[in-house]
């Protein structure tokens, strides 16, 4: 982390009293005996680092700024893209393409000019994490990938910082506080667990879909992030029963909270009795995935480009990065199993006789589809194979979103005795870049 990537405001002097305006601003806090003047001064002198300035980071930082937390650090490398706006309430159309930390800092300082906002425009990794968190009192994990979660966890355990953890997926979220240096309030004398006590091993690469792949309801980060902000305030103020040793899950569709006990694992490699991890390790290697997903970074750039190019509207410009056959650079084209969107287009134009199948889900079909393609979701294929009876000797072309499911579909049909089955390379995602440029990407 070089100094140029971080905009850190000068260190604040300890605040020992509030002025008349501040007393007015915080009077709803001051009247609470659990907060009072002493608590408000504690908030004013507290330093909190929020890692991730997205869905969770938005409500977290807004509420912490409003509550008067004196120093808020924001760590995020991303820029604002149009698909962020469904849930990341710090941002607006006017901030598309700008650094999230810069836009967030402006918004938070507008909300509360008394606070200091430190902008850390960095990818948090093993080389910078200790330096990044060492001056903060509380760290908040609002990230969305496994290497960063393990990285933040280990650094927090090593430097004895409470780690207020939240995660979200589709309609479900969870929250807990990892703090192996603090007592588990439910088990006097016992310390709290860390993230590794809960998840000793990372999931197999690709086995857990991200929010970008699986979706997330836009309100959910608002709920979980607000709960994280509440835990931060409790930790700073030293009030209530912090969520140390307890994991609370929230199911949005049922409006149901459930709480599970979590215990510290004495054999944990980082917070256990005989730790083997005493400094940050290589988390990309440990998890088998990159911290920054190159595909999502490219999507963000494309989204921003389209939004900027069309005055906020999507524009139809062919993707200039495709090769002579209309494939993305480096695409491992499998001639035995695949056919390019351009070849499919010319067969459609020539009114060639073939069966064209879209094997995505109905909700995906509703987002964007190719006229002439018949919808048979991959999951339904075993039950619906009878619909394809009589087509065993015909040419069949299958497509999905990006080419993975359609390949499975094609292999299944071949096993069932179908002679000529091909998967459309790159799926409708590539079709909407090359054949129907400007068509929806999701
Ligand atoms: Zn642990």
């Amino acid at each position: 982390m070089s100094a140029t990537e971080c905009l850190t405001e000068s260190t604040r002097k300890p605040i020992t009293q509030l002025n008349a305006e501040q007393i007015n601003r915080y009077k709803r806090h001051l009247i609470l005996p659990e907060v009072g003047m002493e608590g408000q001064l504690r908030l004013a002198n507290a330093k909190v680092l929020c890692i991730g300035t997205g869905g969770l980071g938005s409500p977290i930082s807004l509420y912490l700024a409003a509550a008067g937390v004196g120093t808020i650090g924001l760590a995020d490398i991303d820029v604002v893209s149009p698909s962020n706006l469904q849930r990341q309430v710090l941002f607006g159309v006017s901030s598309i393409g700008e650094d999230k930390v810069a836009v967030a800092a402006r918004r938070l300082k507008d909300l509360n000019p008394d606070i200091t906002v430190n902008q850390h425009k960095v990818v948090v990794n093993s080389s910078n994490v200790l330096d990044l968190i060492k001056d903060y009192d509380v760290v908040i994990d609002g990230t969305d990938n496994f290497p960063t979660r393990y990285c933040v966890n280990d650094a927090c355990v090593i430097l004895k910082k409470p780690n207020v953890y939240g995660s979200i997926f589709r309609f479900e979220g969870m929250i807990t506080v990892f703090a192996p240096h603090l007592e588990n309030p439910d088990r006097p004398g016992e310390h709290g667990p860390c993230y590794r006590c809960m998840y000793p091993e990372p999931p197999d690469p690709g086995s857990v879909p991200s929010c970008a792949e699986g979706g997330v309801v836009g309100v959910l980060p608002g709920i979980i992030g607000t709960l994280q902000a509440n835990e931060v305030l409790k930790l700073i103020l030293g009030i209530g029963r912090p969520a140390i040793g307890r994991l609370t899950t929230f199911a949005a569709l049922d409006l149901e909270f459930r709480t599970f006990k979590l215990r510290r694992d004495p054999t944990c490699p980082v917070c256990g009795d005989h730790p083997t991890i005493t400094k940050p390790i290589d988390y990309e290697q440990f998890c088998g995935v990159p911290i920054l997903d190159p595909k999502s970074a490219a999507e963000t750039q494309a989204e921003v480009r389209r939004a900027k190019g069309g005055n906020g509207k999507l524009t139809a410009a062919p993707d200039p990065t495709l090769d002579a056959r209309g494939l993305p650079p480096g695409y491992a084209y499998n001639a035995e199993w695949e056919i390019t969107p351009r070849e499919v287009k010319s067969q459609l134009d020539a009114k060639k006789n073939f069966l064209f199948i879209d094997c995505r889900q109905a909700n995906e079909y509703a987002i964007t589809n190719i006229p002439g393609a018949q919808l048979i979701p991959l999951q339904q294929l075993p039950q619906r194979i009878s619909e394809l009876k009589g087509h065993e000797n015909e040419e069949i072309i299958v497509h999905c979103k990006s080419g993975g499911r359609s390949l499975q579909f094609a292999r299944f049909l071949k096993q069932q005795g179908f002679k000529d089955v091909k998967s459309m390379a790159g799926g409708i995602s590539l079709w909407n870049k090359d054949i129907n440029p400007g068509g929806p990407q999701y």
Side-chain angles (χ1 to χ4, degrees):
M1 181 174 62
S2 79
T4 52
E5 290 163 318
C6 287
L7 269 177
T8 308
E9 295 186 38
S10 57
T11 313
R12 292 156 68 94
K13 288 197 187 80
I15 294 165
T16 53
Q17 57 184 20
L18 300 183
N19 63 32
E21 272 173 51
Q22 291 165 334
I23 288 173
N24 184 59
R25 174 183 277 266
Y26 301 120
K27 63 189 176 192
R28 301 287 190 281
H29 266 170
L30 298 173
I31 205 166
L32 291 169
E34 292 83 353
V35 183
M37 184 59 79
E38 193 199 329
Q40 196 62 50
L41 290 171
R42 273 192 187 212
L43 293 175
N45 291 309
K47 296 176 184 162
V48 173
L49 175 65
C50 188
I51 299 179
T53 309
L56 293 170
S58 288
I60 293 167
S61 59
L62 281 165
Y63 274 106
L64 294 182
V69 170
T71 302
I72 298 176
L74 302 171
D76 205 309
I77 190 83
D78 243 347
V79 298
V80 180
S81 69
S83 64
N84 295 153
L85 304 180
Q86 168 249 18
R87 64 205 175 284
Q88 301 183 14
V89 294
L90 272 171
F91 313 120
V93 170
S94 63
S95 45
I96 288 169
E98 272 192 84
D99 291 336
K100 285 186 177 177
V101 291
V103 181
R106 275 206 308 274
R107 174 75 182 95
L108 299 179
K109 294 280 279 185
D110 179 44
L111 175 59
N112 190 343
D114 290 341
I115 65 168
T116 296
V117 181
N118 296 330
Q119 302 172 38
H120 305 284
K121 195 200 170 196
V122 292
V123 177
V124 178
N125 58 34
S126 46
S127 65
N128 61 24
V129 68
L130 293 178
D131 200 33
L132 184 66
I133 73 174
K134 68 178 187 332
D135 294 327
Y136 290 97
D137 307 313
V138 180
V139 175
I140 307 162
D141 184 343
T143 62
D144 57 0
N145 69 82
F146 292 99
T148 311
R149 285 178 188 156
Y150 280 99
C151 177
V152 171
N153 177 72
D154 292 358
C156 285
V157 175
I158 291 163
L159 294 178
K160 297 186 166 48
K161 308 284 183 186
N163 173 10
V164 180
Y165 173 86
S167 73
I168 48 170
F169 183 64
R170 293 179 182 251
F171 294 95
E172 301 199 354
M174 59 171 78
I175 171 178
T176 186
V177 174
F178 295 118
H181 61 293
L182 299 178
E183 190 172 71
N184 179 341
D186 295 344
R187 293 185 159 267
E190 195 175 300
H191 285 196
C194 82
Y195 182 71
R196 280 183 190 268
C197 298
M198 185 165 84
Y199 297 119
E201 297 290 334
D204 287 338
S207 64
V208 180
S210 65
C211 285
E213 292 157 339
V216 63
V217 65
V219 176
L220 187 63
I223 296 166
I224 300 297
T226 308
L227 292 174
Q228 285 178 277
N230 186 51
E231 288 303 309
V232 173
L233 295 188
K234 282 160 62 186
L235 287 166
I236 296 169
L237 295 167
I239 60 172
R241 186 164 67 107
I244 296 171
R246 277 180 297 149
L247 175 80
T248 295
T249 64
F250 174 65
L253 291 180
D254 294 313
L255 184 65
E256 204 161 80
F257 286 95
R258 295 180 69 190
T259 297
F260 303 86
K261 289 189 182 346
L262 287 180
R263 289 185 69 182
R264 180 178 152 269
D265 176 2
T267 68
C268 173
V270 65
C271 82
D273 296 339
H274 306 286
T276 53
I277 296 169
T278 54
K279 58 179 201 283
I281 61 169
D282 183 337
Y283 297 96
E284 296 191 320
Q285 189 193 44
F286 177 65
C287 297
V289 290
I291 292 179
L292 272 188
D293 176 12
K295 197 173 142 219
S296 86
E299 269 176 30
T300 299
Q301 280 178 8
E303 268 188 39
V304 170
R305 231 182 7 247
R306 284 200 305 264
K308 293 278 177 199
N311 202 12
K313 290 194 183 67
L314 297 180
T315 51
D319 189 325
T321 65
L322 302 179
D323 69 14
R325 285 190 300 175
L327 294 169
Y331 189 93
Y333 183 71
N334 182 337
E336 189 195 340
W337 286 97
E338 289 185 311
I339 180 167
T340 68
R342 285 186 192 175
E343 288 163 340
V344 176
K345 174 74 163 76
S346 64
Q347 291 199 187
L348 285 169
D349 288 348
K351 305 220 165 12
K352 202 178 156 203
N353 191 31
F354 69 99
L355 197 61
F356 194 21
I357 297 173
D358 180 342
C359 73
R360 299 172 302 152
Q361 302 276 35
N363 63 319
E364 298 178 270
Y365 182 88
I367 298 171
T368 178
N369 59 66
I370 303 172
Q374 174 191 346
L375 185 67
I376 303 182
L378 175 64
Q379 288 85 343
Q380 298 174 9
L381 177 58
Q383 301 92 281
R384 293 180 59 180
I385 190 129
S386 60
E387 293 174 32
L388 300 175
K389 271 223 150 55
H391 296 284
E392 287 83 352
N393 297 314
E394 275 176 39
E395 182 182 11
I396 300 178
I397 297 172
V398 193
H399 86 81
C400 62
K401 181 187 175 189
S402 46
R405 281 173 285 174
S406 53
L407 201 55
Q408 284 184 49
F409 196 105
R411 288 185 202 279
F412 184 85
L413 284 190
K414 279 243 176 135
Q415 283 164 9
Q416 303 296 315
F418 288 78
K419 300 275 179 313
D420 183 7
V421 196
K422 289 260 160 77
S423 159
M424 189 174 83
I428 198 165
S429 163
L430 181 56
W431 178 277
N432 280 352
K433 281 183 184 148
D434 192 31
I435 309 301
N436 177 35
Q441 298 287 347
Y442 66 96

